[in-house]
Amino acid sequence: MSAPETADVAPHVHHQRLLIVDFGSQVTQLIARRLRELGVYCEIHPYQKVDHAFLAAFAPRAVILSGGPDSVTREGAPRPPERLWEMGVPVLGICYGQQAMMDALGGRVEAGAPGKGGTAEFGRASVTPAETPLPLLAGWFEGGAEPVWMSHGDHVAELAPGFRVYGTSPGAPFAITGDPERHFYAVQFHPEVHHTPKGRVLLQNFVREAGFTGDWTMGAYRDEAIAQIRAQVGDARVICGLSGGVDSAVTAVLIHEAIGDQLTCVFVDHGLLRKNEAEEVVGVFRDAYNIPLIHADESDLFLDALEGTTDPEAKRKTIGRLFVEVFQKHAAEAGGAEFLAQGTLYPDVIESVSFAGGPSVTIKSHHNVGGLPEKMGMKLVEPLRELFKDEVRALGRELGLPDSFIGRHPFPGPGLAIRCPGEVTRDKLAILREADAVFIDQIRRHGLYDEIWQAFAALLPVRTVGVMGDGRTYDYACLLRAVTSVDGMTADYYPFSHDFLGETATRIINEVRGINRVSYDITSKPPGTIELE
Ligand code: XMP
């Protein structure tokens, strides 16, 4: 996917901005999450990119240095630019960030491998206060010591001039340090993680001290995004592919608010959708929002092309290729759109620190629209590029999308084809749709829908013998899958009660013709994947 046209520093954001310099910690994204929850606009940038010119252009009101796997005692280890210390803005160093700060300002850091230096701490630790209070720690130590989450091998051995100690743990005598006059603070633990319960309070105190007023609200974001879309698009036409998912839906509604009928949405029905799905999507967009929508019923094209195909990758490729062709055909009907709208999210565009070979940009394109931008030679409009998934949901609510739509489980681009191992036929799809609808209905009736990341039925390519009434049956076996997850990268099966599973199996067998056996998939990811193919 070609990189969209964005300057190194986003030019349009008027918020007070906080810069997070990423030194490669596994949890850097959580710093951004916590700050956004506090109404602070922030961006993560890899340390390699943060030089003097970058700092001047970004003009942060405060800076946070993340943790990272390197050791400042190593020559050539990552360091923040010297200019940072002269900017007069508050800086908070976390873990490696603390060590980088001390090293830069005249302190000393000692390397200590776990078990060797005796100062390494991994996991839970307890911090006790020093005598002098510190505004950064308002709300801390009310009950004595505070639990924090540590993960460090190296440690600070000598403080930089101007710094004092404000908190100590057994393995980190300098667990919390600061130079309040310059507003430089450095902590050895990770305030951004869940296992540092008062971490959020510390971050809140830090941003308050830096003068952030918490102006990052969805209302403000919506207004800015609308202004920005208008400025980018002018009076050109935009086309947006709707998948039925939350991201493309919020993208479409936001763009429609900005430019009205200059937007046309294309919803490709590939015949692999769930029961009533096409009607729901068309109902919301065309009827409730009055957005020009091309509902392309191309199910025959896709299902005919899939005939006889059993290999999972071959199925995906056929669907992907046809999708691009069909989308292009209908986009042309919409009359020469210059822009293609996509629901790309912030986690997809964060440049991650790569110690192997410099910063790399990871842009994940949906499998179903992958390749569209290059093939169509269009410019991209990506109004969700700065948002996390939960912020997209909040924006969706702000735009008036119904809760039932916003909370929907993810659904893959290739649809039911990858939930129907083996050949996909119309008959099998009809059976699968009914079973899936019963399963989801059961989950909703039991109030479990929002606890589950994704749930669906799959139709296994085996038929088994059963007995119903006095007769023999020889029907398909169905597999139910329901998982919990945070991001779809790892997942665990949902622990339904036996009663729930029994009741659901009975309902499916009674209500769906063609299924006489039901099983529940208890594979986690890894080693399994969420979908079957
Ligand atoms: P897996 O099966 O890889 O799925 O564990 C992880 C998440 O991604 C979704 N998924 C897809 N989404 N196009 C999509 O838009 C696809 O081709 C695709 N394949 C998997 C899957 O539903 C789960 O949420």
Side-chain angles (χ1 to χ4, degrees):
M1 181 169 166
S2 60
E5 286 173 33
T6 40
D8 274 349
V9 174
H12 59 282
V13 177
H14 312 301
H15 298 281
Q16 307 156 335
R17 289 141 64 106
L18 188 146
L19 171 66
I20 298 169
V21 184
D22 184 16
F23 288 110
S25 159
Q26 297 294 318
V27 288
T28 303
Q29 275 202 33
L30 290 180
I31 307 175
R33 294 289 304 262
R34 296 286 98 80
L35 293 171
R36 298 270 185 104
E37 283 161 18
L38 293 168
V40 171
Y41 181 83
C42 60
E43 287 181 23
I44 300 174
H45 291 279
Y47 74 89
Q48 296 100 322
K49 180 169 154 187
V50 180
D51 56 15
H52 293 191
F54 181 90
L55 285 176
F58 192 94
R61 181 173 280 238
V63 175
I64 293 183
L65 308 176
S66 87
D70 214 317
S71 168
V72 292
T73 61
R74 189 182 69 77
E75 216 187 298
R79 281 163 222 281
E82 279 166 27
R83 171 88 181 87
L84 173 63
W85 313 112
E86 298 149 16
M87 292 177 73
V89 300
V91 182
L92 171 66
I94 295 174
C95 196
Y96 181 87
Q98 177 195 40
Q99 294 155 12
M101 185 187 280
M102 286 303 135
D103 187 63
L105 297 175
R108 194 165 56 81
V109 176
E110 273 176 8
K116 287 185 187 158
T119 55
E121 285 175 302
F122 294 92
R124 213 178 148 83
S126 181
V127 176
T128 45
E131 266 162 34
T132 330
L134 182 69
L136 183 79
L137 299 173
W140 273 56
F141 303 127
E142 283 163 353
E146 293 289 356
V148 299
W149 192 76
M150 295 271 192
S151 181
H152 66 102
D154 293 359
H155 66 279
V156 175
E158 204 177 295
L159 285 181
F163 279 79
R164 296 179 64 156
V165 178
Y166 294 96
T168 312
S169 79
F174 302 129
I176 307 174
T177 63
D179 176 348
E181 218 158 275
R182 287 189 284 177
H183 304 283
F184 290 166
Y185 301 101
V187 296
Q188 182 61 76
F189 56 87
H190 288 268
E192 68 274 31
V193 304
H194 184 69
H195 293 96
T196 300
K198 286 276 175 75
R200 184 187 151 90
V201 174
L202 186 148
L203 291 171
Q204 184 167 27
N205 292 338
F206 176 70
V207 296
R208 289 268 159 78
E209 186 173 317
F212 285 91
T213 50
D215 67 345
W216 171 254
T217 62
M218 268 310 139
Y221 181 82
R222 164 191 170 152
D223 296 345
E224 271 177 26
I226 286 175
Q228 198 208 343
I229 293 164
R230 286 186 183 140
Q232 185 190 1
V233 168
D235 54 12
R237 300 196 61 79
V238 179
I239 192 146
C240 179
L242 285 180
S243 67
V246 181
D247 303 343
S248 64
V250 174
T251 302
V253 175
L254 185 65
I255 294 178
H256 187 250
E257 275 218 2
I259 57 167
D261 287 357
Q262 283 165 251
L263 170 75
T264 304
C265 288
V266 178
F267 176 56
V268 176
D269 182 344
H270 47 21
L272 300 161
L273 298 168
R274 288 168 292 190
K275 190 175 177 181
N276 298 331
E277 190 151 26
E279 293 78 5
E280 275 174 36
V281 173
V282 174
V284 168
F285 289 91
R286 190 183 282 162
D287 306 340
Y289 279 95
N290 209 13
I291 297 181
L293 172 71
I294 298 174
H295 175 194
D297 181 356
E298 298 281 1
S299 41
D300 283 339
L301 177 75
F302 282 82
L303 298 182
D304 289 349
L306 284 171
E307 225 176 86
T309 312
T310 54
D311 177 69
E313 277 313 296
K315 284 186 192 174
R316 278 178 175 272
K317 289 214 172 93
T318 300
I319 296 167
R321 174 177 56 79
L322 289 178
F323 192 95
V324 172
E325 283 174 24
V326 165
F327 192 89
Q328 266 178 308
K329 184 178 86 184
H330 291 286
E333 275 169 29
E338 201 178 311
F339 290 91
L340 177 72
Q342 282 205 326
T344 314
L345 305 192
Y346 192 49
D348 305 333
V349 293
I350 293 176
E351 296 174 52
S352 58
V353 171
S354 152
F355 285 88
S360 59
V361 181
T362 324
I363 299 180
K364 186 176 52 180
S365 53
H366 284 196
H367 307 230
N368 52 359
V369 294
L372 273 180
E374 298 92 336
K375 292 217 168 118
M376 299 183 72
M378 296 171 90
K379 294 185 219 154
L380 288 178
V381 192
E382 297 178 301
L384 311 183
R385 275 179 72 86
E386 292 163 8
L387 302 184
F388 287 104
K389 187 87 180 177
D390 49 345
E391 293 175 319
V392 173
R393 294 207 164 101
L395 179 60
R397 277 185 210 105
E398 183 78 31
L399 291 165
L401 273 163
D403 263 345
S404 56
F405 205 90
I406 287 168
R408 284 172 128 209
H409 291 172
F411 186 65
L416 299 181
I418 57 175
R419 296 176 178 177
C420 197
E423 189 184 2
V424 182
T425 64
R426 288 173 177 79
D427 289 347
K428 282 186 186 175
L429 289 171
I431 297 171
L432 175 54
R433 272 191 195 102
E434 293 305 320
D436 187 71
V438 173
F439 184 34
I440 298 299
D441 180 57
Q442 276 287 101
I443 289 173
R444 286 201 189 276
R445 279 192 200 185
H446 286 256
L448 302 174
Y449 191 82
D450 294 337
E451 278 178 41
I452 294 170
W453 161 267
Q454 201 168 5
F456 56 87
L459 196 72
L460 298 179
V462 280
R463 294 210 284 166
T464 67
V465 173
V467 54
M468 282 170 91
D470 290 326
R472 175 186 191 268
T473 59
Y474 184 54
D475 283 335
Y476 285 108
C478 149
L479 182 84
L480 305 181
R481 181 122 171 94
V483 295
T484 55
S485 177
V486 194
D487 49 16
M489 305 298 288
T490 57
D492 205 353
Y493 73 89
Y494 186 80
F496 288 120
S497 69
H498 282 267
D499 285 350
F500 174 90
L501 289 171
E503 189 183 302
T504 307
T506 304
R507 268 195 68 191
I508 289 176
I509 292 167
N510 284 346
E511 295 174 32
V512 183
R513 268 183 91 97
I515 291 177
N516 67 353
R517 195 173 294 267
V518 174
S519 56
Y520 183 50
D521 186 347
I522 56 165
T523 320
S524 60
K525 172 184 178 176
T529 55
I530 296 177
E531 303 292 345
L532 269 70
E533 294 188 335

